[in-house]
């Protein structure tokens, strides 16, 4: 099995990623991973995708975890987002992680993580578009199903 790329850069100036289905379409490669991956899709001001970045993977890359959990923190995401020339025009992100078990249901940790990233993004003036959970059984959009977790810019 080929090693999963940790970064994929592209700037699609045609497609607007303004719904969870569009976002999930860029995350298909994570559906069958046996380790949990956490990352983000960087988007410009018109919600055109700039790239997909993996921030942490189960037992490798930035942080240490186990196959069904990987730690994630806003500081590490912002460091990757702001230090990459590929994301210079990024003003929005969609965070994601996969569930190797196949479940799409968010855990209490997933809900807490969404709140944490929502507040951090507001503070950093980066629009948090969504938090997606992807699995072999589809995806779950926390923005669509639990919009109250997201702090809006005008709050």
């Amino acid at each position: 099995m080929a090693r999963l790329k940790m970064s994929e850069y592209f700037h699609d100036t045609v497609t607007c990623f303004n719904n969870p289905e569009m976002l999930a379409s860029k995350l298909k490669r994570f559906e069958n991973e046996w380790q949990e991956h956490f990352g983000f899709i960087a988007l410009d001001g018109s919600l055109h995708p700039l790239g997909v970045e993996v921030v942490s993977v189960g037992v490798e890359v930035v942080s240490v975890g186990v196959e069904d959990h990987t730690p994630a923190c806003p500081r590490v995401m912002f460091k990757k987002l702001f230090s990459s020339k590929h994301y210079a025009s990024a003003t929005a992100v969609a965070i994601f992680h996969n569930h190797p078990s196949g479940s799409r249901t968010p855990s209490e940790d997933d809900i807490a993580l969404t709140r944490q990233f929502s507040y951090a993004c507001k503070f950093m003036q980066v629009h948090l578009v969504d938090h997606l959970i992807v699995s072999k059984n589809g995806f779950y959009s926390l923005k669509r199903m639990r919009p109250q977790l997201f702090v809006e810019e005008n709050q």
Side-chain angles (χ1 to χ4, degrees):
M1 185 166 154
R3 183 174 166 81
L4 188 68
K5 290 192 318 185
M6 296 296 111
S7 302
E8 180 185 348
Y9 306 114
F10 44 82
H11 192 179
D12 180 345
T13 58
V14 177
T15 310
C16 179
F17 279 46
N18 59 358
N19 65 61
E21 289 77 16
M22 293 296 292
L23 294 166
S25 73
K26 283 293 182 192
L27 304 174
K28 294 259 182 226
R29 68 180 188 245
F30 299 101
E31 291 176 350
N32 293 306
E33 287 297 315
W34 65 273
Q35 289 177 297
E36 189 165 300
H37 291 64
F38 175 83
F40 64 88
I41 300 174
L43 303 156
D44 69 14
S46 299
L47 301 182
H48 298 132
L50 302 171
V52 175
E53 188 78 32
V54 174
V55 176
S56 63
V57 179
V59 293
E60 55 187 275
V61 186
V62 175
S63 55
V64 177
V66 294
E67 76 181 44
D68 67 346
H69 175 77
T70 185
C73 98
R75 181 180 54 79
V76 176
M77 182 194 73
F78 287 124
K79 182 178 178 184
K80 285 194 174 228
L81 181 67
F82 295 142
S83 66
S84 172
K85 66 180 179 183
H86 301 286
Y87 305 138
S89 61
T91 60
V93 295
I95 59 174
F96 71 87
H97 73 280
N98 66 311
H99 279 179
S101 68
S103 170
R104 293 177 297 176
T105 305
S107 67
E108 289 302 315
D109 287 344
D110 296 338
I111 291 166
L113 184 70
T114 303
R115 278 196 195 100
Q116 180 184 20
F117 270 85
S118 183
Y119 281 105
C121 284
K122 180 180 179 182
F123 179 77
M124 296 300 290
Q125 299 178 341
V126 172
H127 176 61
L128 179 60
V129 175
D130 207 336
H131 179 182
L132 294 173
I133 298 169
V134 296
S135 79
K136 60 187 170 196
N137 295 313
F139 73 92
Y140 185 97
S141 164
L142 280 113
K143 180 73 172 207
R144 179 179 285 165
M145 303 305 290
R146 298 183 182 215
Q148 71 278 11
L149 298 175
F150 292 76
V151 178
E152 299 302 327
E153 288 78 21
N154 60 356
Q155 290 181 333

